[in-house]
Amino acid sequence: MNHLTIQEQTIIRQILSETSKKNIDNISRTNAYFTYFKQNPDIIWSFLASMVSRNGGWNMCDLVGAIFPHLLEAKTRKQLFLTYERANWLIFHDVFPQLLLYQYSTKINRPMFHLLPYFNVSEFIQKEWHRYWFETDRDRLTIALIINEQNVIQTPVIEHPVYKKKVFQSLIFSFQDWLHFSCVLFPTCGGEVYGASANGFKSLSKRINLGKRLASILFHPRLYPYFFEFAEETAHTGSRHDYEQYFKIKTNQNTPMLRMSFPVIAHHQHTYEDWSLQRRVSPTWLYIPARHRHSIHLTDWYFAKSNQLQFILSIQKLFQLKKWE
């Protein structure tokens, strides 16, 4: 960094410091993404990241809720939590410096993307930020960020030997995937739920496709105001009560709040490899539009899945009773 100006060195240090402060846990990340979006509404990916991050928090808190402790061993639940947490942390660690550098560039009305290599981000996304500055294609940048962040977690999380064996090849993960229990939800204050199923999570292309589908739902002209209202009016706690409080039919699910359930995890990135130098960017990722094969309105689906989980829990308890007889 010797050839950088003092101002540039200061910018890098400030961005690294702010990223570290806000990359504490799922709550801080979710809030940071949403606050950024309100300050920079042209970077629509940041609102998508905030809403997906909310879902990450709800999934974490499910692990200590009323159902999963009866279905999964404590060791398995801890491993699932660490998987969610690691992926969350890595994405934020990668993307938030990009967002802050763009914000700084808009303030001085001059692109500062020549500093992006100092934050260890891919050559792919560096080019996309340069492109966005001159073309202001919001949809293209959103898709590029989806592609980048899903590639960021592919090797260190999805393909990591420990996570691969203990999580992605586990029976419970396959079961969840097969039954489409994993779903990204966008609630409204009117008690409705929209979203898309997240089956095929191990597949990079399927996760990118899911991100594109979610973006098309979140920014649907008719629905977007309702999702924004929910985000603005509803503090993120990690508990599913965040949105179930708006349901007209009350549910029996009881999930605690994230900061009362999990400790802060200290993360480190031991090595950095530019994924875009290892993997080719598929044209389908960038140019094929999202298609919805299923309904995006999931209110009835949500209640049906909740009932299925309750039924599975009842069967589990029945087997336990038989075992002790």
Side-chain angles (χ1 to χ4, degrees), residues 11-194:
I11 292 165
I12 291 169
R13 280 196 301 271
Q14 287 176 342
I15 286 176
L16 289 173
S17 174
E18 188 170 352
T19 300
S20 180
K21 283 177 188 172
K22 292 180 177 173
N23 201 3
I24 300 298
D25 63 11
N26 175 268
I27 305 291
S28 63
R29 293 174 205 123
T30 302
N31 294 339
Y33 285 134
F34 187 51
T35 299
Y36 182 91
F37 175 66
K38 289 189 285 184
Q39 295 168 347
N40 305 271
D42 58 318
I43 308 300
I44 59 177
W45 179 90
S46 55
F47 185 39
L48 174 64
S50 176
M51 293 299 282
V52 172
S53 185
R54 279 183 181 256
N55 279 264
W58 297 329
N59 288 332
M60 288 175 181
C61 287
D62 281 348
L63 298 171
V64 290
I67 293 178
F68 283 100
H70 297 284
L71 301 177
L72 300 174
E73 292 181 359
K75 191 166 72 171
T76 304
R77 289 185 287 117
K78 182 181 178 182
Q79 195 63 58
L80 282 166
F81 163 72
L82 291 173
T83 306
Y84 287 129
E85 172 62 19
R86 182 64 176 167
N88 267 220
W89 184 90
L90 278 169
I91 288 174
F92 193 92
H93 177 77
D94 180 81
V95 77
F96 210 64
Q98 301 173 43
L99 301 181
L100 293 177
L101 194 60
Y102 170 76
Q103 185 177 55
Y104 184 79
S105 298
T106 61
K107 285 180 180 175
I108 64 171
N109 202 28
R110 180 163 55 91
M112 298 294 287
F113 303 128
H114 64 284
L115 298 182
L116 280 172
Y118 295 94
F119 301 105
N120 287 338
V121 299
S122 70
E123 287 188 10
F124 164 78
I125 205 63
Q126 290 178 45
K127 291 173 186 173
E128 291 296 329
W129 279 111
H130 283 284
R131 182 177 187 139
Y132 179 71
W133 186 264
F134 295 104
E135 297 182 6
T136 61
D137 185 340
R138 295 194 309 175
D139 293 335
R140 164 94 185 202
L141 180 67
T142 301
I143 292 170
L145 285 166
I146 290 168
I147 291 169
N148 190 66
E149 301 319 317
Q150 291 308 318
N151 273 281
V152 161
I153 65 169
Q154 183 65 20
T155 300
V157 176
I158 309 301
E159 295 174 2
H160 190 283
V162 174
Y163 296 123
K164 195 172 183 179
K165 181 181 178 183
K166 294 188 176 179
V167 177
F168 301 115
Q169 290 178 349
S170 69
L171 186 63
I172 189 66
F173 187 85
S174 301
F175 172 76
Q176 223 180 354
D177 211 34
W178 180 56
L179 287 181
H180 292 214
F181 275 116
S182 296
C183 203
V184 178
L185 306 175
F186 297 149
T188 71
C189 293
E192 299 296 317
V193 176
Y194 296 82

